[in-house]
Amino acid sequence: MTTATTLPPATDAAIIAAAQTSKAWPFEEARRIVQRLERMKAVDKTVIFETGYGPSGLPHIGTFGEVARTTMVRTAFETITEGKIKTRLICFSDDMDGLRKVPDNVPNKDMLKAHLDKPLSRVPDPFSNEYPSFAAHNNARLRAFLDRFGFTYEFFSATECYASGRFDATLLHMLGVYDDVMAIILPTLGPERQATYSPFLPVCPRTGRVLQVPMVARDVAAGTITYIDPETREHITTPVTGGRVKCQWKADWAMRWTALGVDYEMAGKDLIDSVTLSSRIAKALGAAPPENMIYELFLDVEGRKISKSIGNGLTIDEWLTYAPPESLSHFMYQRPKSAKKLHFDVIPRAVDDYLTAIAKYPIETPPQKIDNVAWHIHSGHPPAAELPVTFALLLNLVAATNAAESAQLWGFIRRRTPDATPESYPLLDRLVGYAIAYYRDFEKPKKVFRAASEQERTALLALDAELAKVGADASAEDLQNIVFEAGKAHGYTKETLRSWFQAIYEVLLGASQGPRFGSFIALYGIAETRALIAKGMKGELVGK
């Protein structure tokens, strides 16, 4: 299945020229693919990009990250080759893999236990009767999200590829080089596993389970293997074609690369050994293994690797409850070879970093544009989006007003931009909704207001007195200067001004950090800010 959106052609000569030497990591990866084609002398080859998904658990943001990052490399490749070389992106679901254990984050666990070791595409859907299998449910969730982002991709199911015969020729080839594959894998296994290992896992015709059993015979001419049924002890001979077997993981990856002609695939740091061994197997099959980029893993708030089965990371739907999808792409672009914690607290920063990127883009030179993350997020065509407020400022405005409806925030926004409406600023309207949801679920429960110290109290009262003197049309910069001067006049030096602002946030907003306070006053209102100071001085905010 392919989405309706297509990648834009590279037509800007200045952008194409700048791309040839750009140090942005997608362009560096794209140049490696160009070098690969030159080595292979593959002038007319369609370049195949692949991402993999194991549907044993619900798709998480790490799954999305592979597609987003691979799409960025694909766009970079099409730019430096001026769109002259065709490309495809295959999103491959390993849904013929056996269910090895019941995930922790799904319902109907007892039902799933009865289907252990069966292909995921033959395990009933534990969530509902809407889908024919567990894999179909999880595949649909993944595809719906990828479609929502407008990715251009083709979805491949392992079950369909095996059963349809798409992999048959390569499976027969693997049977022919069986000894070579065993020589690659066996030295990496312990004695017990060596005794049972085979690159082929037969699907038992009696139970439907994927069996991990040794081969007792193989017939290359007939295209068959023979194994002993672990329960009946019968000798069973089966073809390796037509979906009757499934390959072991590392052999499967190499077989897939070979059968589909994959040129590029990313992998997490935990799969380095698998990439190495699968590459050797691909070479044994006579294929050139794809170019690989090894990325660092996503970690949860406690520094543990994110796992689909445990469900200890953010889900795709959770991120989109609190932030626009482009902010997630921005998070994925940054430093892919560095480990990053992926939890709710990173969302506000990701949103504002994205907004900063698209605001800068129109005034940048071509070399700057292609190094701007916005270019990569939007496949070379970032939208125009000039916003009067930041997401962090919206969050603090929600905190100060305890707003539960977007209409309340729009009233304050119009103080800064009188003609602003949800229709004229659709992105801002979305951000208002995200800010309300994020504050409600994450910021409000963590708010801790405190009483002001004597020095802080004196400075805040002085700030209040200065605000009483300025007009309602004072600029955010003028108001910021007033805040600075109030602090400096009451004991705060250049070196300690940071603690003055921290005191403002903790006493008035219940947080240890916040936006430029002058911008906050301009948006919230001078009279409202003075009323907030008065409440803080009376102790009415403590315990709120």
Side-chain angles (χ1 to χ4, degrees):
M1 184 277 284
T2 306
T3 60
T5 306
T6 57
L7 291 171
T11 56
D12 188 321
I15 289 289
I16 295 172
Q20 306 303 324
T21 56
S22 171
K23 295 189 182 300
W25 68 262
F27 284 109
E28 292 182 337
E29 291 298 295
R31 284 192 284 271
R32 291 205 297 124
I33 301 171
V34 171
Q35 293 166 2
R36 169 191 176 84
L37 298 180
E38 292 171 349
R39 291 195 305 270
M40 296 173 63
K41 297 181 171 54
V43 179
D44 299 323
K45 186 184 190 308
T46 296
V47 172
I48 306 297
F49 296 82
E50 183 183 63
T51 65
Y53 167 57
S56 58
L58 294 173
H60 58 66
I61 290 179
T63 310
F64 160 75
E66 281 200 16
V67 183
R69 288 168 169 170
T70 303
T71 295
M72 292 172 186
V73 176
R74 183 185 182 190
T75 302
F77 175 82
E78 293 198 341
T79 301
I80 64 176
T81 58
E82 302 180 48
K84 296 176 181 177
I85 300 176
K86 294 179 180 179
T87 66
R88 295 167 63 197
L89 170 58
I90 293 173
C91 295
F92 191 94
S93 173
D94 192 10
D95 56 14
M96 198 172 164
D97 196 21
L99 179 65
R100 302 303 176 197
K101 65 177 182 177
V102 176
D104 295 332
N105 59 340
V106 299
N108 297 311
K109 292 184 177 63
D110 289 340
M111 179 274 289
L112 289 177
K113 288 179 183 177
H115 296 278
L116 287 174
D117 294 324
K118 289 184 180 178
L120 293 164
S121 53
R122 298 183 186 178
V123 175
D125 180 8
F127 296 94
S128 68
N129 294 321
E130 183 179 356
Y131 296 97
S133 70
F134 188 22
H137 174 274
N138 290 343
N139 288 343
R141 291 282 296 273
L142 176 68
R143 294 168 68 173
F145 184 69
L146 298 180
D147 291 347
R148 180 174 181 177
F149 270 78
F151 289 120
T152 301
Y153 69 97
E154 298 168 60
F155 184 84
F156 276 39
S157 156
T159 300
E160 294 176 3
C161 288
Y162 273 97
S164 68
R166 182 187 289 269
F167 288 162
D168 281 359
T170 310
L171 288 166
L172 290 170
H173 191 177
M174 183 171 288
L175 183 62
V177 296
Y178 184 95
D179 290 334
D180 295 331
V181 175
M182 294 290 280
I184 292 169
I185 296 296
L186 289 183
T188 69
L189 305 176
E192 185 175 335
R193 188 71 185 93
Q194 286 182 357
T196 61
Y197 181 84
S198 167
F200 298 108
L201 302 175
V203 180
C204 180
R206 184 175 53 81
T207 65
R209 287 179 164 79
V210 180
L211 303 177
Q212 298 199 43
V213 291
M215 302 298 101
V216 296
R218 61 187 187 278
D219 187 331
V220 175
T224 62
I225 56 174
T226 301
Y227 64 95
I228 299 174
D229 186 304
E231 294 179 353
T232 67
R233 309 309 299 170
E234 293 180 86
H235 281 63
I236 306 296
T237 298
T238 185
V240 298
T241 54
R244 296 175 181 86
V245 304
K246 192 227 183 261
C247 285
Q248 290 268 14
W249 157 233
K250 297 177 182 68
D252 184 86
W253 209 5
M255 185 274 300
R256 184 198 314 168
W257 288 342
T258 303
L260 300 179
V262 176
D263 294 289
Y264 186 86
E265 181 161 7
M266 297 182 180
K269 183 179 179 180
D270 56 337
L271 295 180
I272 290 177
D273 290 343
S274 295
V275 169
T276 300
L277 292 172
S278 295
S279 296
R280 291 179 61 193
I281 295 172
K283 291 176 181 177
L285 290 168
E291 299 300 309
N292 301 110
M293 184 185 86
I294 303 299
Y295 60 82
E296 266 287 0
L297 304 179
F298 295 107
L299 310 175
D300 66 12
V301 69
E302 296 179 2
R304 299 174 302 174
K305 174 191 169 184
I306 286 177
S307 166
K308 293 191 299 293
S309 60
I310 297 175
N312 61 324
L314 286 179
T315 68
I316 295 165
D317 290 338
E318 284 171 337
W319 185 291
L320 295 185
T321 299
Y322 306 109
E326 297 87 353
S327 64
L328 178 53
S329 292
H330 187 286
F331 182 84
M332 293 299 167
Y333 177 86
Q334 303 299 325
R335 303 180 306 280
K337 295 183 180 181
S338 299
K340 291 196 287 291
K341 289 188 176 180
L342 182 56
H343 50 86
F344 290 106
D345 289 349
V346 308
I347 292 177
R349 175 66 181 271
V351 174
D352 275 334
D353 284 349
Y354 166 71
L355 297 177
T356 299
I358 57 174
K360 293 191 318 186
Y361 187 83
I363 61 173
E364 292 180 320
T365 64
Q368 291 172 327
K369 285 180 186 291
I370 61 170
D371 286 343
N372 186 326
V373 59
W375 190 94
H376 299 275
I377 291 172
H378 294 283
S379 295
H381 295 285
E386 184 178 347
L387 300 179
V389 297
T390 65
F391 190 62
L393 193 53
L394 282 178
L395 284 173
N396 281 275
L397 184 59
V398 177
T401 62
N402 204 26
E405 301 292 336
S406 61
Q408 294 174 264
L409 293 189
W410 274 103
F412 291 104
I413 292 169
R414 291 191 188 94
R415 286 180 170 171
R416 171 174 284 197
T417 309
D419 61 346
T421 66
E423 292 72 29
S424 60
Y425 288 93
L427 176 57
L428 180 57
D429 191 41
R430 291 162 57 204
L431 293 176
V432 165
Y434 292 133
I436 291 172
Y438 190 88
Y439 173 74
R440 177 194 66 224
D441 293 343
F442 298 105
E443 295 294 329
K444 187 174 182 178
K446 295 189 297 185
K447 288 289 178 185
V448 179
F449 293 86
R450 66 171 177 83
S453 68
E454 194 58 39
Q455 180 188 12
E456 293 164 353
R457 183 180 181 84
T458 301
L460 283 167
L461 289 173
L463 173 59
D464 175 68
E466 291 301 314
L467 290 177
K469 300 175 185 178
V470 301
D473 59 347
S475 70
E477 197 60 39
D478 289 339
L479 294 168
Q480 183 76 0
N481 288 333
I482 290 172
V483 179
F484 269 116
E485 294 304 320
K488 288 192 289 186
H490 292 83
Y492 291 95
T493 65
K494 182 178 180 181
E495 289 74 24
T496 62
L497 270 174
R498 178 184 292 273
S499 61
W500 161 232
F501 282 97
Q502 183 174 340
I504 292 174
Y505 302 138
E506 291 176 350
V507 173
L508 303 183
L509 297 177
S512 60
Q513 57 186 353
R516 284 174 61 87
F517 202 66
S519 298
F520 173 80
I521 298 171
L523 188 62
Y524 187 43
I526 294 174
E528 287 79 2
T529 302
R530 294 188 63 211
L532 190 63
I533 293 173
K535 288 182 179 180
M537 296 303 92
K538 293 177 183 178
E540 295 177 6
L541 298 177
V542 178
K544 182 178 176 181

